Amino acid sequence: MIVRALCLAAVLVLALAGPAGAHNVTAGADLRIAQTIGGAEVTVVVKGTTRVPGPLRIGVIAYQPVSGMPVALEVRSVEDGRTVTGTAQAAADPAYTQLQVRRTGPHELRLSAGGESAVIPFRVLVERGGMGDFLIYGGLFVAALLLVGGLLTGATARPGRAMALAAGAAAGVTVAAMVVVFEPQLPPPAPDGAAPTIAPTAGARAAGGRPYAQARVETVPARPEAGADFTLRLDLIDGSTGRPVDDLTVHHEALAHVVVTSADGRYFRHVHPLRTAPGRLEVRLRADRPGRYLAHAELEREDSGGQLLTTGFEVGGEAAAVAKTGTGTPATEPGDPAGETPGGAGDPAGAASGETSVAGGGGVPRLQPGVPVAGRPATIELDTPAGVRPWLGMTGHLLVRSQDGGFLGHVHEMGTPGARLRFTFSFPAPGRYLAWIQYATADRIVTTPFTVDVTASEARR
């Protein structure tokens, strides 16, 4: 009897366990999405909720001084259309605005600030009890009843029945114990409100997931002028269906990371575009000088891999008044459309290897070896002031672009203790590279630009 109970418990736990997935969202976890909106770099935080109807708390973390920028919030249930509204104040340590949601499932969060709007799709998830909980508590409850029954039956001088009831109680306890042991090794059940799981069908999707997105990139206006605002627009298309790609996953706290640089590297922006329509991402920029600009977009679809989209565009007109000649060109920190934040990118394209123009009073990057070899790991360290805080889920970011713009690399800090950042990066080929290290302090994002000359290995010479 006990063996049969154990087999039944194992079958139930295995059969009713939820499937595992690379991008499963845990009920109760916070959703964090970076946005470049209203001329500011912010991260929107949607706190996990434990029940519905119940509160949904939303905060907007600012990574630069914004003087309490108001952000209008609108949460709409996709299934029934019910909408609730509120206002959040962007701040380094924001107060959270509480809205009421009445159901789980797909929702949309509309943000509005500085004349711009974004629509962020998300799901309200609430943890549901699994079959394991039912078996544990059910087994213990049945065991308690049978044990009491066995004691009463034994008291009435019926030992055979008492032994049978005691065996049943032991089986109930055993089932509960076995579930306690094996349940942590199984994936949790899908929470209430999770997207339905669709079994893969034969074909390309079953074999290799969804195809990479194809991008149609344009600027509005078509030819921006130096010193004037313009919009960089990405329309993402599924090449197999021709439909908009609207299934981007949040990776490193953003739907997409866009790096915009001038051909000479003097202009640098690391921004996070707004989803303004299904399959459409937009970000407002301003370039301070005419010329050729490059845009690299990092994104990832559900059931697919990460991909890098690369494009270019031209900026006309004359150099804006903020631009300077030679080294010491104003930096372009996220959230500064004019690129007017002092302490900037210098002239990485014209600097010798190892020469560095440092933003915001940080240190000078140190390379080991001093002249990296193509294809071999190099270590890059940078001293930082106290009070560095995580941004995009990481303490520091290293972005590396080849001089011709054909290559862009993006790696993260390795978790080094103390007031310094440490990166490991392998340069793919010999030549000159433009690089930027970014980290966040209490009130801003600091960008440190530098150049690296990479030599070929002895075997290739």
Side-chain angles (χ1 to χ4, degrees):
M1 179 178 177
I2 294 179
V3 173
R4 292 180 180 178
L6 294 178
C7 292
L8 177 61
V11 169
L12 288 174
V13 172
L14 292 172
L16 298 175
H23 291 287
N24 281 355
V25 179
T26 304
D30 296 347
L31 173 65
R32 301 171 66 93
I33 298 184
Q35 300 276 267
T36 304
I37 186 171
E41 183 67 27
V42 303
T43 295
V44 179
V45 182
V46 181
K47 291 287 189 181
T49 186
T50 58
R51 67 183 189 279
V52 289
L56 186 72
R57 300 171 61 228
I58 301 174
V60 180
I61 302 174
Y63 286 91
Q64 62 192 108
V66 292
S67 301
M69 180 180 74
V71 180
L73 308 174
E74 179 183 290
V75 175
R76 184 182 74 88
S77 169
V78 174
E79 294 179 342
D80 64 11
R82 185 178 184 275
T83 300
V84 290
T85 60
T87 301
Q89 296 291 327
D93 185 17
Y96 282 78
T97 299
Q98 183 169 297
L99 304 176
Q100 292 292 318
V101 290
R102 294 188 174 275
R103 63 186 307 160
T104 59
H107 286 68
E108 290 183 339
L109 169 61
R110 176 179 291 274
L111 310 170
S112 299
E116 296 184 279
S117 295
V119 179
I120 301 173
F122 72 102
R123 286 182 172 270
V124 175
L125 304 176
V126 175
E127 185 177 359
R128 67 170 62 159
M131 178 55 65
D133 293 338
F134 173 79
L135 291 174
I136 292 171
Y137 294 110
L140 293 177
F141 178 74
V142 170
L145 290 180
L146 293 177
L147 184 60
V148 171
L151 293 174
L152 295 177
T153 303
T156 59
R158 297 177 181 177
R161 293 183 179 180
M163 289 296 294
L165 292 174
V173 173
T174 303
V175 168
M178 294 298 294
V179 175
V180 169
V181 171
F182 288 111
E183 188 184 30
Q185 304 176 30
L186 300 173
D192 287 335
T197 302
I198 301 176
T201 58
R205 178 169 298 184
R210 294 173 178 166
Y212 283 159
Q214 298 178 359
R216 184 171 60 248
V217 184
E218 62 180 344
T219 59
V220 181
R223 185 174 175 85
E225 294 290 316
D229 287 354
F230 68 94
T231 298
L232 180 64
R233 175 180 295 165
L234 292 82
D235 286 310
L236 305 177
I237 306 297
D238 187 315
S240 62
T241 65
R243 302 183 63 182
V245 169
D246 201 33
D247 56 2
L248 299 182
T249 65
V250 177
H251 69 291
H252 300 304
E253 298 188 358
L255 290 174
H257 301 260
V258 175
V259 177
V260 180
T261 57
S262 58
D264 62 7
R266 295 185 178 187
Y267 178 95
F268 171 86
R269 293 291 308 280
H270 175 188
V271 293
H272 304 95
L274 311 178
R275 176 187 176 274
T276 58
R280 173 167 289 183
L281 303 175
E282 296 183 336
V283 62
R284 191 171 66 191
L285 300 166
R286 188 189 304 168
D288 57 3
R289 58 177 58 83
R292 179 70 173 171
Y293 287 77
L294 302 172
H296 297 81
E298 298 175 309
L299 51 88
E300 181 178 347
R301 297 187 67 181
E302 292 180 2
D303 193 25
S304 186
Q307 68 177 109
L308 179 68
L309 303 172
T310 303
T311 189
F313 58 92
E314 297 287 338
V315 172
E318 298 181 356
V322 296
K324 301 178 182 179
T325 59
T327 60
T329 303
T332 50
E333 293 183 2
D336 177 23
E340 298 175 0
T341 303
D347 186 4
S353 178
E355 293 180 358
T356 309
S357 177
V358 180
V364 175
R366 301 181 298 276
L367 279 71
Q368 181 62 38
V371 179
V373 177
R376 297 180 183 176
T379 299
I380 303 171
E381 292 188 355
L382 176 70
D383 293 331
T384 62
V388 171
R389 59 173 173 157
W391 176 50
L392 307 176
M394 302 290 173
T395 306
H397 302 259
L398 170 65
L399 296 109
V400 178
R401 199 203 82 184
S402 59
Q403 193 166 29
D404 63 4
F407 168 83
L408 181 81
H410 182 182
V411 297
H412 301 110
E413 206 278 330
M414 301 169 56
T416 307
R420 63 173 178 162
L421 303 177
R422 189 170 187 263
F423 305 88
T424 296
F425 189 80
S426 295
F427 295 88
R432 171 158 290 185
Y433 292 82
L434 316 180
W436 299 265
I437 292 176
Q438 290 191 292
Y439 60 90
T441 62
D443 61 352
R444 60 179 171 152
I445 296 169
V446 178
T447 302
T448 300
F450 60 105
T451 60
V452 181
D453 284 336
V454 178
T455 186
S457 64
E458 292 291 342
R460 296 183 180 181
R461 292 178 182 175

